[in-house]
Structure formats: structure tokens, C-alpha cells
Amino acid sequence: MDSGFIGLIILLLLLLCAAALLMSRDWRWVMGALGLQYFLAFLLVSSSWPLELAAVKLVAGWMAGAVLALTRMNLAIEPEEATKRLPTSPAFLVLSTFLVLLVVSGAAPALADWARQMSINQAWGGLILIGLGLLQVGLSGSNFRSVVGLLCLLSGFEILYAAVEASLLVAALLGVLNLGVGLAGSYLLQTPGTEQLE
Amino acid sequence: MNSAIIWILLPGLLGIGLLLYRPRDRFPQILAGLLSLFLTWIAWQLPIDVVLNIGPFSFEIFPSLSFFGRSFTLTSAAQPLLTFIYFFQTLWIAGTVVAKPAKPFVPISMICVSLFVAALSVDPFLYAAILIALAILALIPLLSLAGEKVRPGVLRFMIFQIFAVPFILFTGWILSGVEASPGNLDLILRSGLLLLLGFTFLLGLFPFHSWIPMLARESHPYVVGFLLFFLPTISTVFALGFFDRYAWLRESQFVYQILTLIGGLSVLLSGLWAFVERHLGRLLGYAAMMGVGFSLLGIGQGVSQGAQLFFALLLPQSLGLWVLAVSLGSLNNKKVDLSLDGIADAFADSPLTVIGLILAVFSLAGLPLLASFPPRVDLLANLSTSAPWAAIIALLGSLGLAVAGVKLVLAVIRRSSKPQSGWVEEIETEAAAKAGETKDPFAWAFIILAGVGFLGFGLFSRFFLASVPDFASMFPLLFP
């Protein structure tokens, strides 16, 4: 599934999704990108895991996204981005994304070379999501964006970990963890607002 | 009957059930408290994997439960730890009578404890990282109450704890490679670094500790106390599992030196921060950080000795944290400002709670006659020969917390000796109204338990520490 031209397309789409998660200001686009990202991650995972096991990740991710989206949709007040400590202009975010890509371009081949079970596309996909998820968590000024960043990061990790560990219990536990992060994020979203970071 | 069903599923299901219980009475506290006490008793008294005959009936507690192709195993070696966990869970539930945290505390704490026990029993043990993260997520509604403003500490805490999961899981995978080729230094270095990062996030060690004081200031002190009691304890026992499992880790002197360095740094920094701190919620956070530092210093003493010192330090540290959390929770519940001045003002109204608070701070600082003193002396004696610099910085750190306790006492004395102004009748009526706590049987029960616990442990430490080898025996290779 993740080899050759199709693999390249999956990676490009994954990069676009992760970049959309980082840059889009409209939560509907963010949730759409998150849903698509889980599908692409499922495609990458399915090359190492049986389809039905890989589907657990897809379903858990979509459920976490759905919980967040439903909560966000039902919020009476538009939550504000609490902090403006770091620049969030599109130019800065594009540059940061390129920086992450630069790091990934160095790390992914080395990782795939070192961990033989991992394909190069899985290494690229996993590291892109981890890098951009980390960036999102670090730059975000709202609970919503932080939680989306965490889900993105976890998704990237799951792509890499799926290549080295194919256990039913791990799939179930990581699925529950994704759902738990989604639920915790949705709980935090329903509260009045976030205070300024120290 | 199966041990996993008894100590994991039963409390977890009870917790979920109690979450649905609506009336605002003490039924959840009583039920969960009784179950915890019962689980403590059977962990203490009933053997696992032995057929027991009671009259015409015979039954056996099986040690392992298969689940999704893996297993949750609680053998007889884990029984001392199970006794400890459920005994303290009983205390945490009992403490809610005085500290009065939010209503879901009891059910959520039961769910968390069941997840923590699941983390200690899951095989392969690496999956514990995910179960610990799930327990952390379950605590979020208590740390940030519904309808209240979300403070940054809770989000940072959640993020840092989730960060720990990938590091630890990847380490496990790399470590299996290290086992296959033990001479591969590259693999050893990578796995060591990932393991260090994972546990630095999990235990809130410097420089990823910032969530501890933030959370300690923002959330209910009793909930934070519960978190800072169970999270480091379970995570450190989980970390000891790595030492027990992997020979190269157990036999590496460099690893013990690193642990001593990190532990010493944690004790020193938390002591210095406690010294300058004026908010007692944050002081609770620093005291917990110091406990983690001492635990690492203990483990850093190497095979056999390390596991024993860790468990010896754990018992008094746990008691100190519980008393400190109950005191702060009670004061917080009375809307007392948790600053030095606020506590000094509260002394007239809540003398028993403030005395408990002061005793807890001094015990956690390791003052003579109190609970933490005997194992700390043992540790410092060991350190003075193996790493004298670590002994000195550990002493300095302890001194920092002790001075924070002295500052608290001075604030109380200064406020008490201040002459009161007003009409005599007014002052007498006010004093009579303020004596409320001395008529509260729960407050008396709490202070008597705290006093007897601290002094009993401090004076008759040999009696309590006799059980330490039983605890350490759950790591047969680490403690041969």
C-alpha cells in the first residue's frame, strides 16, 4: 500500500493534512484534516498490520476527532487563542514546517535504515506527524489546538510503533489513549477559557 | 477467582458505578473505603496461587488473567505492594471526610488506582506506560473542575505525561535489541537516552517539572496530593522493573551515577524552591519532588541496596504526603488563603489541621524523631561513602524544606502572640466560635493518626522497616 507512487501521494497528503492542522484558523478545516490524517495513517499502518487491526486506529482516531468536533460545534462562546507569546503568522508557520521537514529528511532515512521493520514511507510519515504535532503543541495558545497537536503527535508515533510491535493489546490500549485524549480535550474545551501561560 | 479481577477489575468497576451515583451523601466514601480496606486485608492475608479450604469450600486466587493475547499477572511477590497501595487508598478515601475534595474524587480515585495496579501487572511490562497515561487522563476532571477556568498547569501536565508514552514504548523495543546484542554501545546509548527522557517526563524531573508547582497552586491540594503520591510511586516501581528485567541496566555503574546525579539535583532544587516559597500548595509540590529525588538517590545505591532503600523511603514519604494533602485540603475547603500569612491566620480557627501541616512538612524534611528520619539517615550514611557530594546536596535540600517549616511555625507564633484588640466580650465570643475544629471528632482522629504515624515510624522504625525486604522481593533479580 505504501510503496512507490501511491506511497508518495500518501506522504504528500499527510504533510498537507499536518500543515493544515497547524495553519488553519477554522476548526472545521482542522477537524476535516484530522479525519483525513487518521485515514492516511491507517494506510501506512496497514502495510505492517492486518487490515482489521489497523482499522482499530482509524476508528479510535475518528472517534476522538468526532468527540472534539461535537464539543467544539456545541460551544456557545467562541474560545479565544489565549496567548500571543509566539508568532503565529502564516509565513512563520510555513518556515517552521519547512524546518521540521528538513529535520525529518535527515532523520527518516536513518531511522528506516536502523529499524529494518520500518519502511521509509512509514518513517517519513511518522516523523512528519510527530514533528508538526510537537510544533502545534508548542505554539498553540488554546486547549483545542494543543489537544489536536497531541493527537497528531500520537498518530505519528503509532505509525512508527506499528512497524515494530503488532500486539492486539497495544492496539486496543493506544486506541483508548487516543479516545481518552479526545475526551479530556473535549472536557477542557467546555470550560470558560484558558488563562495566560506563565 | 483471579487476582486481576480482585485488585483491578473490582475497584475499577466500583469506581465507574459510583460515578453514576447522584445523591450527595457519604455512601460512595463508605463503600469505596470498605472495599479498599477489604482489598488491603486480602492482599495482606490471603496467599495467591494456593488452594484454601474454608469448611466445605475451597478456593484459589489465580495469579494471571489473559486479555487480548497478553496477561495481567499479580503473583504473591506483589502482595506487599498491593497491601501498601490499597492501604493508602483507604487512607486517601478516609481523608476526604476532612479535606472534602470534589464529589467525583472517590470514584475517580478508585478507577485510577485500578489502572495503576493494572500498570504494575501487565505483561509485557512496558505497556504500563499507556495504562499510567490513562490513569492520568482519568484525573483531569478532578484537576480542572467543570465550570472553572482551565489553568495552564493542567494542560501542561497532560501534555508532558502523554510525551512520556512514546519514549518509554520505543525504549522497550530498543531494549529487546540490546538484549540480542549486548555489546552494541550505540543501541545502549539510544535506549538509555530515551528511557531517561521518558521517565523525566513521567516523574516530572528537572527540567520538565514545571507542571508540578503550577498544578499545586491551581488545583485542589488534596487531588494534587493524591496525584503526587501515586504517580511517582507507581512510575518508580515501573522503572525498577526495567532494572530487574535488563541485566545491562542493572550492572551499569554509569546508570547508578546518573540516577544519583538526577536525584541529588531534584532534592537540592526542590529544597531551594521550598525555602523561598510562600504558597503552601506549591510547597506540597516541592515536597513531592524532593521525595522523588530521595527515591532516585536510594535506587542509585545499586543492586539490592537500591530497591530496599527505595521502599524504606517510600513508606514515611507516603504518610507525610497524605497528612500534608489532608491538611491543605481541609484549609482550602475552609477558604483559607494557602499563603504563610493565611495559614497563620487560620491557626486560631483550625489549630489541629495547622499542627498536622507543620508536622508533615517537618517529617518530609527528615527531622529527627519523625517518620522520614531513619531511612534518610540510612541513605545519607550510604551516600557519604559512595557519593559524598550527593549527601551534602541532599542535606542542603532537606534543610531548605525544614526552613520552610520553620518559617511556617514562626508565622503562626508571630500571629498568635499579637495582642487582640476590641471589647473583651467580642474577643471571647470570637474565640468560642473559632474553637470549632477542636470539637470535630474527625479532625482529632486525623491529628492523632498523623501524630502516632509520624512518631511511631520515627521511634520504632525497625518494626516498620522489617517489611522492606518483602517489598523488594517483587524484583528477584534486583534484590536476590
Side-chain angles (χ1 to χ4, degrees):
Chain A
M1 181 68 81
D2 72 329
S3 58
F5 181 68
I6 299 175
L8 191 67
I9 298 288
I10 291 175
L11 278 184
L12 279 175
L13 285 173
L14 205 61
L15 176 65
L16 283 177
C17 282
L21 288 180
L22 185 68
M23 289 174 206
S24 177
R25 300 288 106 188
D26 186 342
W27 69 269
R28 292 167 196 83
W29 282 105
V30 171
M31 295 322 299
L34 189 68
L36 184 59
Q37 176 223 280
Y38 274 115
F39 178 69
L40 296 166
F42 156 75
L43 293 179
L44 286 177
V45 169
S46 63
S47 62
S48 322
W49 281 13
L51 215 59
E52 60 274 17
L53 197 55
V56 172
K57 292 199 180 300
L58 178 67
V59 174
W62 277 357
M63 280 171 74
V67 168
L68 271 180
L70 281 172
T71 310
R72 186 65 187 75
M73 195 162 61
N74 289 317
L75 282 183
I77 310 161
E78 192 78 3
E80 287 173 12
E81 297 261 337
T83 56
K84 294 288 177 202
R85 291 179 310 141
L86 293 165
T88 49
S89 64
F92 173 77
L93 292 176
V94 169
L95 275 176
S96 313
T97 306
F98 273 114
L99 199 65
V100 169
L101 268 183
L102 201 67
V103 175
V104 172
S105 68
L111 183 64
D113 188 42
W114 180 54
R116 301 270 176 209
Q117 302 99 313
M118 219 175 274
S119 72
I120 181 74
N121 284 350
Q122 283 176 324
W124 266 95
L127 289 178
I128 284 173
L129 290 186
I130 289 175
L132 292 180
L134 210 54
L135 198 63
Q136 168 105 316
V137 170
L139 293 179
S140 86
S142 72
N143 297 340
F144 178 68
R145 293 196 158 272
S146 297
V147 172
V148 167
L150 262 185
L151 288 173
C152 181
L153 186 146
L154 273 178
S155 183
F157 160 70
E158 284 182 60
I159 294 173
L160 299 182
Y161 198 60
V164 297
E165 176 79 63
S167 151
L168 199 59
L169 184 59
V170 164
L173 285 176
L174 284 174
V176 177
L177 185 65
N178 268 299
L179 204 55
V181 171
L183 283 170
S186 126
Y187 173 81
L188 294 177
L189 268 181
Q190 290 180 53
T191 47
T194 310
E195 279 195 352
Q196 195 80 9
L197 284 162
E198 278 181 353
Chain B
M1 195 54 95
N2 196 290
S3 58
I5 292 176
I6 296 173
W7 285 290
I8 299 171
L9 212 57
L10 203 59
L13 287 178
L14 180 79
I16 293 169
L18 288 178
L19 271 179
L20 307 173
Y21 184 78
R22 290 285 135 205
R24 301 184 70 84
D25 53 23
R26 287 202 173 145
F27 175 71
Q29 283 157 299
I30 294 168
L31 191 62
L34 285 177
L35 179 72
S36 297
L37 201 60
F38 175 67
L39 293 177
T40 309
W41 182 78
I42 54 174
W44 182 33
Q45 289 295 324
L46 296 188
I48 294 176
D49 214 12
V50 173
V51 180
L52 290 169
N53 294 309
I54 302 172
F57 305 104
S58 67
F59 71 95
E60 182 180 355
I61 301 175
F62 296 103
S64 193
L65 177 76
S66 288
F67 188 72
F68 277 133
R70 305 290 164 147
S71 66
F72 289 88
T73 307
L74 287 166
T75 60
S76 53
Q79 279 185 280
L81 190 64
L82 282 174
T83 311
F84 166 83
I85 289 172
Y86 278 103
F87 173 70
F88 270 96
Q89 172 61 3
T90 312
L91 282 186
W92 281 102
I93 291 171
T96 57
V97 177
V98 178
K100 295 188 176 67
K103 189 176 162 269
F105 176 83
V106 172
I108 290 181
S109 71
M110 289 301 278
I111 295 170
C112 282
V113 168
S114 87
L115 282 168
F116 282 135
V117 174
L120 294 179
S121 66
V122 68
D123 189 22
F125 80 114
L126 287 162
Y127 300 170
I130 310 176
L131 289 161
I132 291 174
L134 289 177
I136 295 309
L137 291 176
L139 268 176
I140 297 287
L142 285 177
L143 293 168
S144 179
L145 293 175
E148 285 183 6
K149 215 176 182 87
V150 179
R151 310 284 172 82
V154 69
L155 201 62
R156 188 174 295 185
F157 162 65
M158 185 171 97
I159 290 168
F160 279 12
Q161 292 301 314
I162 298 291
F163 278 179
V165 176
F167 285 114
I168 293 174
L169 287 182
F170 259 125
T171 307
W173 168 66
I174 298 174
L175 284 175
S176 55
V178 174
E179 272 187 315
S181 51
N184 191 335
L185 280 176
D186 188 33
L187 271 187
I188 289 175
L189 193 66
R190 283 178 193 182
S191 60
L193 203 63
L194 283 180
L195 194 65
L196 184 69
L197 269 171
F199 278 98
T200 305
F201 278 117
L202 199 60
L203 292 168
L205 297 173
F206 179 82
F208 303 116
H209 66 284
S210 58
W211 60 266
I212 296 179
M214 286 166 84
L215 210 56
R217 191 186 185 105
E218 297 163 2
S219 302
H220 194 287
Y222 197 66
V223 179
V224 176
F226 176 84
L227 168 73
L228 294 177
F229 169 83
F230 272 108
L231 179 64
T233 304
I234 302 298
S235 303
T236 318
V237 173
F238 172 41
L240 280 174
F242 278 87
F243 284 86
D244 195 47
R245 202 69 56 111
Y246 300 106
W248 69 268
L249 204 61
R250 196 168 54 242
E251 286 158 11
S252 163
Q253 281 309 308
F254 180 65
V255 171
Y256 293 117
Q257 284 167 4
I258 291 279
L259 282 178
T260 306
L261 176 69
I262 297 172
L265 199 64
S266 288
V267 173
L268 179 69
L269 291 177
S270 53
L272 290 178
W273 284 322
F275 172 63
V276 294
E277 187 56 61
R278 295 188 67 80
H279 189 275
L280 294 183
R282 288 165 68 102
L283 193 71
L284 166 76
Y286 293 131
M289 274 176 70
M290 183 176 284
V292 174
F294 271 112
S295 296
L296 294 180
L297 281 175
I299 298 169
Q301 290 306 293
V303 184
S304 171
Q305 193 101 40
Q308 287 209 69
L309 276 168
F310 164 69
F311 284 113
L313 289 160
L314 181 65
L315 299 172
Q317 167 77 16
S318 306
L319 183 67
L321 267 183
W322 177 72
V323 174
L324 189 54
V326 173
S327 309
L328 288 175
S330 170
L331 292 170
N332 186 67
N333 193 45
K334 291 172 187 163
K335 308 282 179 225
V336 172
D337 175 24
L338 295 182
S339 65
L340 280 180
D341 294 336
I343 299 292
D345 287 339
F347 183 69
D349 183 31
S350 314
L352 301 178
T353 310
V354 175
I355 289 170
L357 177 72
I358 293 168
L359 270 178
V361 172
F362 282 140
S363 175
L364 288 166
L367 250 63
L369 296 181
L370 295 176
S372 289
F373 180 69
R376 293 258 175 101
V377 168
D378 275 355
L379 173 65
L380 290 173
N382 274 304
L383 279 175
S384 61
T385 50
S386 62
W389 58 269
I392 292 168
I393 61 171
L395 267 175
L396 280 176
S398 299
L399 194 66
L401 188 58
V403 173
V406 171
K407 276 161 68 179
L408 186 58
V409 173
L410 286 178
V412 169
I413 291 173
R414 226 177 283 138
R415 191 56 51 99
S416 307
S417 57
K418 215 180 204 178
Q420 287 174 296
S421 58
W423 296 101
V424 175
E425 289 83 356
E426 276 176 7
I427 292 169
E428 279 175 352
T429 321
E430 205 177 312
K434 280 182 171 178
E437 198 187 45
T438 52
K439 290 176 187 160
D440 180 2
F442 292 120
W444 275 108
F446 161 67
I447 194 68
I448 289 170
L449 190 65
V452 169
F454 286 140
L455 287 172
F457 208 108
L459 294 173
F460 307 105
S461 59
R462 292 292 150 212
F463 172 73
F464 292 99
L465 295 179
S467 63
V468 164
D470 296 335
F471 278 91
S473 66
M474 71 181 289
F475 301 108
L477 297 174
L478 197 60
F479 181 67

